[in-house]
Amino acid sequence: MPKRASGRTVGGLRSLSLQAPAVTLLLLWMLIPLGMTLWFSFQHYNLLMPGEPSFVGLENYEYLFTDPSLWRAMGNTLLMVGWILVISVGGGTLLAVLFQQEFKGRGIARVLAISPFFVMPTVSALIWKNLMMHPDNGVLAWLTESVGLPAIDWFSWVPMTSVVIIVSWQWLPFALLILLTAIQSLDEDQVEAARMDGAGPVDIFRFITLPHLKRAISVVIMIEMIFLLTLFAEIYVTTSGGPGLATTNLAFLIYIQALLDFDVGMASAGGVVAIILANIVAIFLVRLVARNLEE
């Protein structure tokens, strides 16, 4: 018995020594930027005056939380994330059910439906801005004018809707890919038995398909939420946060403070707020996914 215990101890120490470099590197990778962000959030540090940093305590946070632009940016962030999740997850679920059916050219249709996810965000935004939504030469302007309606200046009249459409177009294929993979594991015998009992397509979707996809939907929401909270490229390319603050989210507000106003201290305080918000959302989503996995 003592020999076995000693063997287990030596094995555990050897395993710990092998894991220590990777764990240490990971901790440094996370803690150093976080520590610097916290430090600068308590400093008055402007890039135009780099030699004059000074400790100001909570002054940056006080100014930030009394600035209406912060609450507008947080509201825009939640609004964008909410609508994009509704469109991408809802549309992805319906498309997954559709592409599960047998029809001619299904393989090609699946590839075409998933391909937008592999387009870079900047390229995607440029395509929509200059090719699809341009008020003079865009495809959507041509379609509206062909039926006698005036062209829509998307980024001036409905900027938030424009950004939501662009990002949803990019993330819907991701939801489709995950949900289509999940729906392929659905027991066809169960579906066939439901049909024999008189269940229609709506009842099968509501009581069999949707409960089966619940875990996959939770994972899709969690992954998309993490990336959508830091949405930046599409806003920068299309609206630059405008008109005014109409499409300024929290990530873009931090960019404005850091690289347009050159206020590193204020931007760092905004970064801390963003970290806290992301962790609150992550805790909620992890619990949601864990609850679905236990069922």
mmCIF file of all heavy atoms in Angstrom, residues 95 98-101 103-116 173 176 180:
data_model
loop_
_atom_site.group_PDB
_atom_site.id
_atom_site.type_symbol
_atom_site.label_atom_id
_atom_site.label_comp_id
_atom_site.label_asym_id
_atom_site.label_seq_id
_atom_site.Cartn_x
_atom_site.Cartn_y
_atom_site.Cartn_z
ATOM 1 N N LEU A 95 -34.013 26.544 -41.061
ATOM 2 C CA LEU A 95 -33.234 26.057 -42.197
ATOM 3 C C LEU A 95 -32.690 24.651 -41.945
ATOM 4 O O LEU A 95 -32.589 23.839 -42.870
ATOM 5 C CB LEU A 95 -32.087 27.018 -42.499
ATOM 6 C CG LEU A 95 -32.479 28.348 -43.145
ATOM 7 C CD1 LEU A 95 -31.257 29.239 -43.303
ATOM 8 C CD2 LEU A 95 -33.145 28.120 -44.497
ATOM 9 N N LEU A 98 -35.407 22.371 -42.740
ATOM 10 C CA LEU A 98 -35.596 22.330 -44.193
ATOM 11 C C LEU A 98 -34.531 21.489 -44.876
ATOM 12 O O LEU A 98 -34.827 20.621 -45.706
ATOM 13 C CB LEU A 98 -35.575 23.759 -44.744
ATOM 14 C CG LEU A 98 -35.598 23.896 -46.269
ATOM 15 C CD1 LEU A 98 -36.894 23.333 -46.843
ATOM 16 C CD2 LEU A 98 -35.409 25.353 -46.686
ATOM 17 N N PHE A 99 -33.261 21.724 -44.526
ATOM 18 C CA PHE A 99 -32.173 21.011 -45.191
ATOM 19 C C PHE A 99 -32.051 19.561 -44.744
ATOM 20 O O PHE A 99 -31.262 18.814 -45.331
ATOM 21 C CB PHE A 99 -30.850 21.749 -44.952
ATOM 22 C CG PHE A 99 -30.701 22.998 -45.763
ATOM 23 C CD1 PHE A 99 -30.389 24.207 -45.168
ATOM 24 C CD2 PHE A 99 -30.877 22.978 -47.130
ATOM 25 C CE1 PHE A 99 -30.261 25.357 -45.905
ATOM 26 C CE2 PHE A 99 -30.744 24.131 -47.890
ATOM 27 C CZ PHE A 99 -30.438 25.329 -47.276
ATOM 28 N N GLN A 100 -32.789 19.179 -43.726
ATOM 29 C CA GLN A 100 -32.823 17.777 -43.332
ATOM 30 C C GLN A 100 -33.710 16.960 -44.272
ATOM 31 O O GLN A 100 -33.558 15.741 -44.375
ATOM 32 C CB GLN A 100 -33.328 17.651 -41.884
ATOM 33 C CG GLN A 100 -33.382 16.240 -41.336
ATOM 34 C CD GLN A 100 -32.020 15.570 -41.239
ATOM 35 O OE1 GLN A 100 -30.986 16.206 -41.414
ATOM 36 N NE2 GLN A 100 -32.019 14.272 -40.957
ATOM 37 N N GLN A 101 -34.618 17.647 -44.968
ATOM 38 C CA GLN A 101 -35.516 16.967 -45.899
ATOM 39 C C GLN A 101 -34.766 16.595 -47.176
ATOM 40 O O GLN A 101 -33.800 17.243 -47.565
ATOM 41 C CB GLN A 101 -36.717 17.854 -46.234
ATOM 42 C CG GLN A 101 -37.409 18.462 -45.032
ATOM 43 C CD GLN A 101 -37.891 17.414 -44.048
ATOM 44 O OE1 GLN A 101 -38.475 16.405 -44.445
ATOM 45 N NE2 GLN A 101 -37.652 17.645 -42.755
ATOM 46 N N PHE A 103 -34.288 16.565 -51.020
ATOM 47 C CA PHE A 103 -34.676 17.271 -52.240
ATOM 48 C C PHE A 103 -33.462 17.324 -53.163
ATOM 49 O O PHE A 103 -32.314 17.178 -52.726
ATOM 50 C CB PHE A 103 -35.204 18.682 -51.943
ATOM 51 C CG PHE A 103 -34.236 19.588 -51.243
ATOM 52 C CD1 PHE A 103 -33.336 20.373 -51.959
ATOM 53 C CD2 PHE A 103 -34.217 19.666 -49.852
ATOM 54 C CE1 PHE A 103 -32.446 21.214 -51.314
ATOM 55 C CE2 PHE A 103 -33.321 20.509 -49.207
ATOM 56 C CZ PHE A 103 -32.438 21.282 -49.935
ATOM 57 N N LYS A 104 -33.729 17.558 -54.432
ATOM 58 C CA LYS A 104 -32.667 17.554 -55.433
ATOM 59 C C LYS A 104 -31.720 18.733 -55.212
ATOM 60 O O LYS A 104 -32.163 19.868 -55.046
ATOM 61 C CB LYS A 104 -33.286 17.624 -56.832
ATOM 62 C CG LYS A 104 -32.268 17.437 -57.950
ATOM 63 C CD LYS A 104 -32.945 17.415 -59.298
ATOM 64 C CE LYS A 104 -31.930 17.206 -60.422
ATOM 65 N NZ LYS A 104 -32.589 17.183 -61.758
ATOM 66 N N GLY A 105 -30.421 18.461 -55.213
ATOM 67 C CA GLY A 105 -29.427 19.502 -55.013
ATOM 68 C C GLY A 105 -29.237 19.893 -53.561
ATOM 69 O O GLY A 105 -28.743 20.999 -53.282
ATOM 70 N N ARG A 106 -29.612 19.018 -52.635
ATOM 71 C CA ARG A 106 -29.515 19.356 -51.224
ATOM 72 C C ARG A 106 -28.072 19.615 -50.795
ATOM 73 O O ARG A 106 -27.797 20.531 -50.017
ATOM 74 C CB ARG A 106 -30.119 18.243 -50.366
ATOM 75 C CG ARG A 106 -30.149 18.568 -48.880
ATOM 76 C CD ARG A 106 -30.817 17.481 -48.072
ATOM 77 N NE ARG A 106 -30.054 16.240 -48.082
ATOM 78 C CZ ARG A 106 -30.316 15.187 -47.298
ATOM 79 N NH1 ARG A 106 -31.340 15.237 -46.466
ATOM 80 N NH2 ARG A 106 -29.583 14.101 -47.352
ATOM 81 N N GLY A 107 -27.136 18.831 -51.292
ATOM 82 C CA GLY A 107 -25.735 19.014 -50.907
ATOM 83 C C GLY A 107 -25.200 20.374 -51.317
ATOM 84 O O GLY A 107 -24.527 21.061 -50.534
ATOM 85 N N ILE A 108 -25.507 20.785 -52.565
ATOM 86 C CA ILE A 108 -25.047 22.095 -53.033
ATOM 87 C C ILE A 108 -25.714 23.203 -52.229
ATOM 88 O O ILE A 108 -25.076 24.199 -51.864
ATOM 89 C CB ILE A 108 -25.356 22.250 -54.535
ATOM 90 C CG1 ILE A 108 -24.583 21.196 -55.336
ATOM 91 C CG2 ILE A 108 -25.000 23.656 -55.007
ATOM 92 C CD1 ILE A 108 -24.893 21.214 -56.813
ATOM 93 N N ALA A 109 -27.008 23.037 -51.943
ATOM 94 C CA ALA A 109 -27.738 24.049 -51.170
ATOM 95 C C ALA A 109 -27.148 24.196 -49.772
ATOM 96 O O ALA A 109 -27.041 25.314 -49.254
ATOM 97 C CB ALA A 109 -29.219 23.682 -51.092
ATOM 98 N N ARG A 110 -26.749 23.101 -49.149
ATOM 99 C CA ARG A 110 -26.145 23.166 -47.815
ATOM 100 C C ARG A 110 -24.825 23.939 -47.853
ATOM 101 O O ARG A 110 -24.558 24.783 -46.986
ATOM 102 C CB ARG A 110 -25.910 21.753 -47.282
ATOM 103 C CG ARG A 110 -27.168 21.037 -46.806
ATOM 104 C CD ARG A 110 -26.821 19.651 -46.319
ATOM 105 N NE ARG A 110 -27.971 18.986 -45.716
ATOM 106 C CZ ARG A 110 -27.951 17.745 -45.218
ATOM 107 N NH1 ARG A 110 -26.827 17.041 -45.276
ATOM 108 N NH2 ARG A 110 -29.031 17.220 -44.685
ATOM 109 N N VAL A 111 -24.007 23.655 -48.864
ATOM 110 C CA VAL A 111 -22.715 24.343 -48.969
ATOM 111 C C VAL A 111 -22.917 25.842 -49.174
ATOM 112 O O VAL A 111 -22.252 26.681 -48.545
ATOM 113 C CB VAL A 111 -21.878 23.744 -50.117
ATOM 114 C CG1 VAL A 111 -20.618 24.571 -50.352
ATOM 115 C CG2 VAL A 111 -21.513 22.297 -49.808
ATOM 116 N N LEU A 112 -23.846 26.214 -50.037
ATOM 117 C CA LEU A 112 -24.109 27.625 -50.302
ATOM 118 C C LEU A 112 -24.669 28.328 -49.070
ATOM 119 O O LEU A 112 -24.359 29.498 -48.815
ATOM 120 C CB LEU A 112 -25.089 27.764 -51.472
ATOM 121 C CG LEU A 112 -24.554 27.338 -52.848
ATOM 122 C CD1 LEU A 112 -25.659 27.437 -53.893
ATOM 123 C CD2 LEU A 112 -23.363 28.194 -53.255
ATOM 124 N N ALA A 113 -25.494 27.626 -48.296
ATOM 125 C CA ALA A 113 -26.097 28.238 -47.108
ATOM 126 C C ALA A 113 -25.075 28.453 -46.004
ATOM 127 O O ALA A 113 -25.178 29.415 -45.231
ATOM 128 C CB ALA A 113 -27.246 27.361 -46.595
ATOM 129 N N ILE A 114 -24.081 27.591 -45.921
ATOM 130 C CA ILE A 114 -23.084 27.681 -44.857
ATOM 131 C C ILE A 114 -21.936 28.611 -45.230
ATOM 132 O O ILE A 114 -21.273 29.193 -44.356
ATOM 133 C CB ILE A 114 -22.556 26.268 -44.517
ATOM 134 C CG1 ILE A 114 -23.673 25.413 -43.920
ATOM 135 C CG2 ILE A 114 -21.387 26.318 -43.551
ATOM 136 C CD1 ILE A 114 -23.316 23.956 -43.744
ATOM 137 N N SER A 115 -21.701 28.841 -46.517
ATOM 138 C CA SER A 115 -20.515 29.577 -46.971
ATOM 139 C C SER A 115 -20.390 31.007 -46.439
ATOM 140 O O SER A 115 -19.251 31.474 -46.247
ATOM 141 C CB SER A 115 -20.476 29.593 -48.508
ATOM 142 O OG SER A 115 -21.658 30.191 -49.029
ATOM 143 N N PRO A 116 -21.478 31.780 -46.195
ATOM 144 C CA PRO A 116 -21.266 33.150 -45.675
ATOM 145 C C PRO A 116 -20.505 33.217 -44.364
ATOM 146 O O PRO A 116 -19.890 34.242 -44.071
ATOM 147 C CB PRO A 116 -22.704 33.676 -45.501
ATOM 148 C CG PRO A 116 -23.503 32.921 -46.498
ATOM 149 C CD PRO A 116 -22.891 31.549 -46.535
ATOM 150 N N PRO A 173 -25.414 31.087 -40.839
ATOM 151 C CA PRO A 173 -24.826 29.812 -41.272
ATOM 152 C C PRO A 173 -24.165 29.023 -40.141
ATOM 153 O O PRO A 173 -24.169 27.787 -40.166
ATOM 154 C CB PRO A 173 -23.800 30.246 -42.325
ATOM 155 C CG PRO A 173 -24.293 31.553 -42.812
ATOM 156 C CD PRO A 173 -24.892 32.220 -41.626
ATOM 157 N N LEU A 176 -26.913 27.333 -38.378
ATOM 158 C CA LEU A 176 -27.397 26.270 -39.258
ATOM 159 C C LEU A 176 -26.482 25.052 -39.206
ATOM 160 O O LEU A 176 -26.955 23.908 -39.123
ATOM 161 C CB LEU A 176 -27.501 26.799 -40.689
ATOM 162 C CG LEU A 176 -27.738 25.767 -41.788
ATOM 163 C CD1 LEU A 176 -29.055 25.037 -41.565
ATOM 164 C CD2 LEU A 176 -27.722 26.434 -43.170
ATOM 165 N N LEU A 180 -27.967 21.720 -37.766
ATOM 166 C CA LEU A 180 -28.138 20.658 -38.761
ATOM 167 C C LEU A 180 -27.404 19.399 -38.335
ATOM 168 O O LEU A 180 -27.896 18.278 -38.519
ATOM 169 C CB LEU A 180 -27.631 21.141 -40.120
ATOM 170 C CG LEU A 180 -27.795 20.173 -41.298
ATOM 171 C CD1 LEU A 180 -29.255 19.825 -41.517
ATOM 172 C CD2 LEU A 180 -27.198 20.773 -42.567
#
